[in-house]
Amino acid sequence: MPKNTKYAVVDMETTGTDVSSGDQIIQFSCTFVQGGQVIDSYSTYVNNGEAIPKDITHLTGINSQTIKGAPTFDQVAAHIYKILSGTVFVAHNVNFDFPFLNAELERVGYPELNIKAIDTVTLSQIFFPELNGYRLKDLSHHFGISHTHPHSSKSDADATAHLLLTIMNKIEKLPLITVQSILKVNPDLPRDTVEFIADREQMKREHLSNLASQYVVVNGIALKNQTASYSISEHNLTKYPKTKKQKEKQFSGKLDWRSSQSKMMNLIYNNYHESEKPTYNLLIEAPTGSGKTLGYLVPMSYLINDGEQLVVSTSTNGLQEQLYATIKDQLEPLLNTSFDVALLKGVNHYINLERFSKTLQFHDKSKQSQFMKARILVWLTETSTGDLDELNLPNEVPFIDQINYQSSHVANGKNNSFRDADFLAAQFKRVEHADIVLVNHNYLFENGQQLSDHMNSKPYLVVDEAHKLADIAFSSQEKLVKFNVLKKNIGRVKNDLFQTHGLNLNEIFSDDIDELNRLNRLDSQLDAVFDTNQLVLQDFRTEFMKPVETRRAEMAISAQNLLKFIQSHQGQIKHLTSINLKLKKFINAFKTLIQKEKNRWTISDKALIEKFERHLLTIIDYIDGIDVDKIKQKVSEKSHFYWIHYTEDLDPNHVILLTGDFDSKSKLKENVYQYFQPIIFTGSTLFTSKKSQYIFDQLDLNRSDTRMKRLKSSFDYAKQAEMMISQTTPMPPNGENDEYIAYLANSIWKLISANSVPTLVLFNSLDILKKVYDRLSQSNNGKFMIQAAGVSGSQEKIVKRFESVKDSVPVILGANGYFEGVNFPDNLLKQLIITRIPFDSPNNPVVLSRAKFLKGQNKNPFYNFDLPEAIIKTKQGVGRLIRSATDYGVINFLDSRLIDKRYGKQIIDALPQGLPIKAGSISEIVKDGQDFFKERN
């Protein structure tokens, strides 16, 4: 592809995606790029007499009237063939457009186009690795490319042409070594896309220039030059504005007045600033709409004005990012100052350059891994943090576990050849000088002392989404053992030793008789481990696993019974331990040999040896974990509990054994509280009653040194919402019989049909949700777009479709995370249906074990845990509806226990003040809902 290459950027609209089934082109467009600019274009509609499906018309806007009078494809084929000959074909998903066009050309008697073809999707993914999406619409928006008619091939071709120029410009600006490294990785890209990169690399070499100052090359990898100098910012904020008059003057035009927000600000500032009074922990419930985030950030900004530091902890990485944006986009303009903000995550979120560098030394069989290497090489020229979350990857990308940090201890280690450029070490350094440090609850719980040690004094701490901190403390104490670890990794080691489809260790050491003998002895030892382990697992199956009808089952296990089982198998455990000593001796000798003869190994040898060592060490660690003394100790602590997950085939190799500790909240003082000044705990749903002893218990707080405050909502619930409760709910004990499923499906159908507004339906059980979804789908006539959690894709995709649908009424059936983990744009959600009070399943082994634990402490499990949890979850669910002063809608609660049971009143009392609540039959609820919307439309 020489400099004067002419690129033909093509896009087509078709009647479908399968040309072999008769789908045909209805619009063809091509925009030509040459010499770094757009030089020409061609576009035509095509009419082969085929009907255009409705969904295609909806997508493209093209109907039979649009193409009336347009030429057939055989009438334009000659011209298309002529203008494309001698060009490089470019498309956004070239593996669709290029074969489709060639098939159509062949259909009308032309040979396939014998030209090169490149793909802008994969090029965009490599050279712009941090983007959220790579649809042409998303890319055009990001780069400011004019794209007025998405899914019109003319507009798409023009946009793709400008995208190609953007890609070319990006490659031109990258360090040469980065582009060369991508070519060495040799990712598997569509058609001739790699050749395109190679041609751009050649052009860079022909016009070689010095490395730009924003880059630095370390051990052959180009990185962004980190030139930041760290110093505590001097904010020089004026006197804190306590009164309404002072606030309105200081924040004039930048912050709307909210009484509840002002009270929160003053409460926090006075707590720490009035030195003659004692300082307390603050427990503040700030409902949605009260301005909670600025409510604590503003007063804390004045308190850290003299060089103090603030840590803010929230429940998720996503909320950390939102907090960072709030500080930069709202707090700094409001106060007319800037803050040095460090966003700190667990070590596994950061790239380990040493490990990544090693992966570049060999070609991975995984196409995804090679593709990721190319993307990361570009990303490293842009990132200041090394936070892998910037790549916006799906949850499961195995390659990430090969290149991230597993421990913080090696960041400054002597063997780290990237020590001076290490991202993790830089983050810790930044914390020392930051004004505000943003962490998540997991990080705070696991690293409270370390975090405080890196700061210059005892810092302030705000715990946002505070109700989640106790959950984190509990889940962090959970440990799991996967019984398949031995079987899986023994198989992997044997594969490393003997595989026939690639290099194996026997081949590497074929000329070393002594080492081959040691490998054979290792193989025999692993056979003994496997056989012994299988005997123990078969006994475990007999002892603990009961036949089930579901695909997966959970079952609590008595700690005493588990200990008894282990003691009865001590002979086998001792045998495994004795073999493990031999395995440890082998791995130590093996590592010594590898190091001693390090110059002998090829890159492929090193890759296999590293993999073999990892697999064998996993086996060793697993056997080390079978510690009878530790289990005895845990059994003696009555707060520990055990349960198992297993499958319907009762294969003990598929068992997961889990253990937890119900006394984990006591760890909060030990792990977190002691390292900070008195703490601010806040959230939108903290309290379950007037005294709310539950939140004090969960967070291990004392009333003597903690002050609680419930702020009023700024929303007018009397005007904005109405809640209606069904009086006629069939409530079967297990909640899953046909009558109950039919009741839910019929009631939900009546409610969504009557109001025809965007609706969220919340369930406790995914099984019930799916059964109701099946029934609703049968009733749906196309008027509603009904999506279901666990059926219709990820939560993110479901919510995106809910927000963007235009030609039908969106309905989501959700559970679990939908109670609190989803927010909709203002004035979108209009109806919330809660199918059942969100109690946890009484058959859940954790629920059963917790009940036993609480009874042992002379506490009522229902009133001390189950009911408060259900109240908080109900408040969170109700909170999905009204998120702004302009929102309005109805809440339908299909659970008569709210009015039939005494505890129902406690739930109702915890809901937003002023919320009108009625009860009636489904017919009455339907009519009330219709009246509600008539009054507001």
Side-chain angles (χ1 to χ4, degrees):
M1 302 177 194
K3 290 180 184 178
N4 63 344
T5 295
K6 187 176 183 181
Y7 296 93
V9 186
V10 172
D11 191 85
M12 304 180 302
E13 303 306 333
T14 65
T15 57
T17 59
D18 188 358
V19 68
S20 64
S21 298
D23 289 327
Q24 296 186 5
I25 297 169
I26 53 176
Q27 187 183 19
F28 175 91
S29 299
C30 180
T31 302
F32 295 96
V33 171
Q34 191 174 32
Q37 60 183 348
V38 173
I39 60 167
D40 200 0
S41 65
Y42 168 76
S43 181
T44 182
Y45 288 111
V46 178
N47 186 354
N48 289 321
E50 295 291 326
I52 300 175
K54 288 182 180 179
D55 59 329
I56 298 299
T57 296
H58 174 70
L59 181 68
T60 66
I62 301 173
N63 56 30
S64 57
Q65 197 62 33
T66 310
I67 64 174
K68 186 178 180 180
T72 59
F73 185 76
D74 58 359
Q75 290 173 323
V76 296
H79 183 66
I80 290 173
Y81 197 89
K82 179 181 177 182
I83 62 175
L84 294 183
S85 296
T87 68
V88 172
F89 189 98
V90 183
H92 202 65
N93 188 8
V94 72
N95 280 340
F96 169 74
D97 293 89
F98 196 50
F100 200 109
L101 177 61
N102 271 326
E104 281 289 81
L105 288 169
E106 284 192 291
R107 182 178 64 81
V108 296
Y110 286 85
E112 285 190 359
L113 284 162
N114 186 22
I115 58 177
K116 293 176 180 177
I118 64 174
D119 178 57
T120 54
V121 174
T122 47
L123 285 170
S124 299
Q125 290 170 330
I126 288 175
F127 292 105
F128 302 102
E130 294 185 32
L131 300 185
N132 276 315
Y134 295 91
R135 296 181 305 174
L136 186 57
K137 179 181 177 181
D138 299 329
L139 292 166
S140 298
H141 176 76
H142 179 81
F143 293 117
I145 296 171
S146 177
H147 191 205
T148 52
H149 300 290
H151 299 294
S152 161
S153 71
K154 177 71 173 73
S155 181
D156 286 355
D158 287 344
T160 306
H162 286 93
L163 175 62
L164 177 66
L165 292 170
T166 303
I167 293 167
M168 290 176 173
N169 185 52
K170 176 65 178 287
I171 298 174
E172 184 179 338
K173 292 180 178 179
L174 281 173
L176 176 61
I177 194 170
T178 297
V179 183
Q180 289 174 331
S181 297
I182 291 170
L183 291 173
K184 287 179 183 177
V185 166
N186 192 26
D188 184 22
L189 304 182
R191 308 282 167 172
D192 305 291
T193 307
V194 170
E195 185 179 337
F196 168 80
I197 299 172
D199 288 334
R200 307 314 292 186
E201 184 270 341
Q202 183 178 342
M203 292 179 195
K204 289 177 70 67
R205 277 191 287 111
E206 291 173 356
H207 300 87
L208 194 60
S209 58
N210 293 330
L211 187 70
S213 59
Q214 70 260 38
Y215 304 118
V216 61
V217 177
V218 181
N219 297 331
I221 297 177
L223 307 172
K224 182 179 180 180
N225 194 358
Q226 310 293 339
T227 57
S229 59
Y230 301 108
S231 60
I232 296 291
S233 307
E234 294 184 8
H235 308 296
N236 298 317
L237 293 174
T238 56
K239 183 180 178 182
Y240 172 75
K242 285 191 175 182
T243 67
K244 179 178 181 179
K245 186 176 180 179
Q246 290 171 336
K247 287 186 175 70
E248 288 180 332
K249 180 180 178 182
Q250 188 149 336
F251 305 144
S252 175
K254 297 180 181 178
L255 187 66
D256 294 333
W257 170 259
R258 300 184 202 182
S259 176
S260 57
Q261 186 182 62
S262 178
K263 287 178 181 178
M264 183 176 185
M265 290 179 181
N266 289 352
L267 177 65
I268 291 171
Y269 184 80
N270 293 337
N271 184 57
Y272 296 101
H273 191 256
E274 295 181 356
S275 56
E276 68 278 6
K277 294 183 179 180
T279 304
Y280 295 95
N281 295 315
L282 296 178
L283 192 56
I284 306 172
E285 183 176 86
T288 302
S290 58
K292 175 190 62 171
T293 306
L294 289 178
Y296 62 73
L297 284 175
V298 168
M300 296 310 302
S301 298
Y302 285 87
L303 291 166
I304 63 173
N305 194 36
D306 297 324
E308 299 290 326
Q309 291 175 283
L310 168 66
V311 175
V312 183
S313 180
T314 190
S315 57
T316 66
N317 293 330
L319 289 174
Q320 280 182 265
E321 304 282 356
Q322 288 181 29
L323 270 172
Y324 184 87
T326 299
I327 292 168
K328 293 300 174 183
D329 299 342
Q330 297 181 45
L331 182 67
E332 291 184 349
L334 180 68
L335 301 181
N336 194 29
T337 189
S338 61
F339 296 96
D340 187 355
V341 184
L343 198 156
L344 197 58
K345 301 177 183 177
V347 296
N348 60 309
H349 289 269
Y350 297 95
I351 188 169
N352 182 325
L353 290 171
E354 186 78 21
R355 297 184 76 199
F356 176 66
S357 176
K358 289 180 180 178
T359 69
L360 296 178
Q361 297 174 15
F362 61 90
H363 188 88
D364 200 304
K365 292 179 182 177
S366 165
K367 293 180 181 179
Q368 183 194 55
S369 296
Q370 292 300 107
F371 187 68
M372 283 303 307
K373 291 175 190 178
R375 295 186 68 192
I376 289 170
L377 284 164
V378 176
W379 171 67
L380 287 173
T381 68
E382 302 169 350
T383 181
S384 299
T385 66
D387 180 359
L388 290 158
D389 289 345
E390 293 173 359
L391 293 167
N392 295 301
L393 300 173
N395 290 332
E396 297 297 329
V397 178
F399 180 66
I400 295 302
D401 289 333
Q402 298 179 38
I403 63 170
N404 62 355
Y405 268 104
Q406 305 294 313
S407 164
S408 62
H409 301 303
V410 293
N412 290 306
K414 293 180 180 179
N415 295 326
N416 184 0
S417 59
F418 289 88
R419 184 168 60 251
D420 294 336
D422 187 86
F423 289 110
L424 188 57
Q427 285 299 92
F428 287 135
K429 185 71 175 175
R430 186 167 189 180
V431 166
E432 296 175 12
H433 303 281
D435 301 309
I436 304 172
V437 179
L438 306 179
V439 299
N440 58 56
H441 295 345
N442 267 310
Y443 188 92
L444 179 69
F445 185 79
E446 296 291 346
N447 303 281
Q449 180 179 1
Q450 182 188 41
L451 183 60
S452 181
D453 288 347
H454 275 89
M455 305 181 86
N456 59 17
S457 63
K458 203 170 187 179
Y460 294 105
L461 173 62
V462 175
V463 180
D464 201 347
E465 302 289 317
H467 63 285
K468 288 290 187 181
L469 184 59
D471 295 339
I472 296 300
F474 174 72
S475 61
S476 68
Q477 301 296 305
E478 287 185 349
K479 300 290 185 289
L480 63 84
V481 178
K482 294 184 177 180
F483 284 10
N484 69 347
V485 167
L486 278 184
K487 182 178 180 180
K488 182 186 294 184
N489 282 279
I490 288 172
R492 287 171 174 171
V493 170
K494 285 180 173 288
N495 195 49
D496 298 333
L497 291 172
F498 306 114
Q499 66 180 346
T500 57
H501 56 277
L503 184 67
N504 65 55
L505 285 173
N506 275 276
E507 290 176 22
I508 292 177
F509 293 100
S510 60
D511 58 350
D512 187 337
I513 298 299
D514 290 338
E515 191 59 30
L516 284 176
N517 288 334
R518 281 191 286 269
L519 291 174
N520 285 328
R521 285 197 297 273
L522 172 67
D523 182 43
S524 298
Q525 289 160 358
L526 292 178
D527 285 339
V529 169
F530 180 84
D531 292 341
T532 303
N533 184 62
Q534 287 302 114
L535 287 172
V536 174
L537 291 187
Q538 290 302 325
D539 289 347
F540 186 93
R541 167 180 171 167
T542 303
E543 183 73 23
F544 295 111
M545 298 168 66
K546 299 176 182 177
V548 292
E549 295 180 1
T550 55
R551 194 171 63 86
R552 292 198 64 84
E554 293 182 323
M555 187 174 297
I557 292 181
S558 159
Q560 288 77 14
N561 288 343
L562 181 61
L563 178 60
K564 183 179 177 182
F565 176 83
I566 291 173
Q567 288 173 332
S568 68
H569 289 78
Q570 280 194 342
Q572 290 95 329
I573 293 172
K574 285 181 179 178
H575 184 50
L576 289 174
T577 303
S578 67
I579 298 174
N580 210 32
L581 291 174
K582 296 176 183 177
L583 298 182
K584 291 177 182 178
K585 185 177 179 180
F586 169 86
I587 195 67
N588 289 333
F590 185 79
K591 285 185 172 183
T592 300
L593 172 66
I594 298 304
Q595 182 61 28
K596 184 178 178 180
E597 301 185 21
K598 60 183 178 182
N599 295 326
R600 170 184 168 185
W601 318 116
T602 67
I603 291 174
S604 298
D605 293 343
K606 289 177 182 178
L608 177 59
I609 288 167
E610 184 179 312
K611 188 168 62 170
F612 165 73
E613 289 178 354
R614 188 169 67 248
H615 295 156
L616 186 55
L617 285 169
T618 301
I619 294 170
I620 291 170
D621 290 343
Y622 182 90
I623 298 174
D624 275 343
I626 308 173
D627 190 325
V628 178
D629 291 333
K630 281 186 179 180
I631 294 172
K632 283 181 181 178
Q633 181 184 346
K634 286 184 178 181
V635 169
S636 66
E637 299 170 7
K638 295 182 180 179
S639 61
H640 275 86
F641 66 101
Y642 301 86
W643 75 104
I644 57 172
H645 290 187
Y646 60 96
T647 52
E648 60 185 343
D649 61 7
L650 300 183
D651 184 347
N653 289 289
H654 296 159
V655 168
I656 300 175
L657 172 67
L658 300 98
T659 178
D661 183 2
F662 289 122
D663 198 29
S664 56
K665 62 179 181 291
S666 64
K667 300 283 187 182
L668 288 170
K669 288 181 179 176
E670 178 184 334
N671 288 21
V672 180
Y673 298 168
Q674 64 173 315
Y675 302 110
F676 298 90
Q677 296 193 41
I679 300 166
I680 299 166
F681 300 90
T682 187
S684 57
T685 52
L686 297 182
F687 303 145
T688 57
S689 62
K690 288 184 178 180
K691 291 187 177 181
S692 291
Q693 185 59 39
Y694 177 70
I695 193 66
F696 281 88
D697 290 343
Q698 288 299 100
L699 294 175
D700 201 20
L701 298 174
N702 299 317
R703 290 188 182 274
S704 60
D705 59 9
T706 303
R707 294 291 179 265
M708 63 180 286
K709 180 69 174 178
R710 188 195 310 260
L711 299 176
K712 290 183 179 179
S713 173
S714 60
F715 300 148
D716 188 349
Y717 279 94
K719 293 182 178 179
Q720 290 181 251
E722 182 175 88
M723 181 164 129
M724 289 163 276
I725 304 168
S726 169
Q727 290 178 320
T728 56
T729 315
M731 298 301 295
N734 62 9
E736 295 190 20
N737 67 15
D738 288 342
E739 179 192 5
Y740 181 63
I741 300 298
Y743 163 79
L744 286 181
N746 293 336
S747 300
I748 292 167
W749 182 253
K750 288 176 182 177
L751 290 166
I752 64 175
S753 298
N755 297 324
S756 293
V757 293
T759 300
L760 173 64
V761 189
L762 296 175
F763 291 79
N764 288 7
S765 161
L766 277 172
D767 288 338
I768 293 178
L769 181 155
K770 289 174 181 176
K771 290 174 183 176
V772 171
Y773 171 74
D774 289 340
R775 292 191 179 224
L776 291 176
S777 298
Q778 293 171 13
S779 303
N780 191 14
N781 54 7
K783 180 179 180 181
F784 300 97
M785 183 186 72
I786 302 175
Q787 302 182 89
V791 176
S792 307
S794 67
Q795 180 170 306
E796 181 182 6
K797 289 182 178 179
I798 288 174
V799 172
K800 271 189 176 181
R801 288 193 290 264
F802 184 89
E803 293 174 358
S804 61
V805 65
K806 302 295 183 187
D807 58 346
S808 56
V809 180
V811 177
I812 294 177
L813 311 186
N816 302 322
Y818 286 86
F819 273 87
E820 62 168 332
V822 55
N823 295 323
F824 300 102
D826 292 356
N827 297 307
L828 177 58
L829 185 66
K830 289 290 181 283
Q831 180 168 230
L832 176 71
I833 303 173
I834 302 178
T835 58
R836 197 175 173 107
I837 299 172
F839 292 118
D840 288 331
S841 169
N843 298 320
N844 183 298
V846 179
V847 174
L848 292 169
S849 299
R850 181 185 286 111
K852 185 177 179 181
F853 169 71
L854 290 172
K855 286 176 182 177
Q857 294 188 317
N858 296 316
K859 292 181 179 180
N860 183 308
F862 182 77
Y863 286 103
N864 282 276
F865 190 87
D866 298 341
L867 180 59
E869 276 289 297
I871 290 174
I872 285 178
K873 201 168 182 180
T874 299
K875 290 173 69 175
Q876 291 168 343
V878 168
R880 298 310 93 209
L881 184 66
I882 306 299
R883 309 291 298 177
S884 73
T886 57
D887 278 332
Y888 65 91
V890 295
I891 304 160
N892 301 307
F893 219 121
L894 305 182
D895 192 333
S896 57
R897 291 177 297 177
L898 278 179
I899 50 179
D900 293 341
K901 301 291 184 180
R902 276 193 309 170
Y903 60 75
K905 185 178 185 305
Q906 289 181 245
I907 297 174
I908 290 173
D909 288 346
L911 297 178
Q913 292 183 2
L915 175 65
I917 298 176
K918 302 178 182 179
S921 66
I922 291 298
S923 298
E924 290 169 326
I925 291 173
V926 166
K927 185 177 186 309
D928 278 346
Q930 289 174 321
D931 292 343
F932 177 92
F933 287 113
K934 281 179 184 176
E935 291 172 7
R936 287 158 179 80
N937 291 332

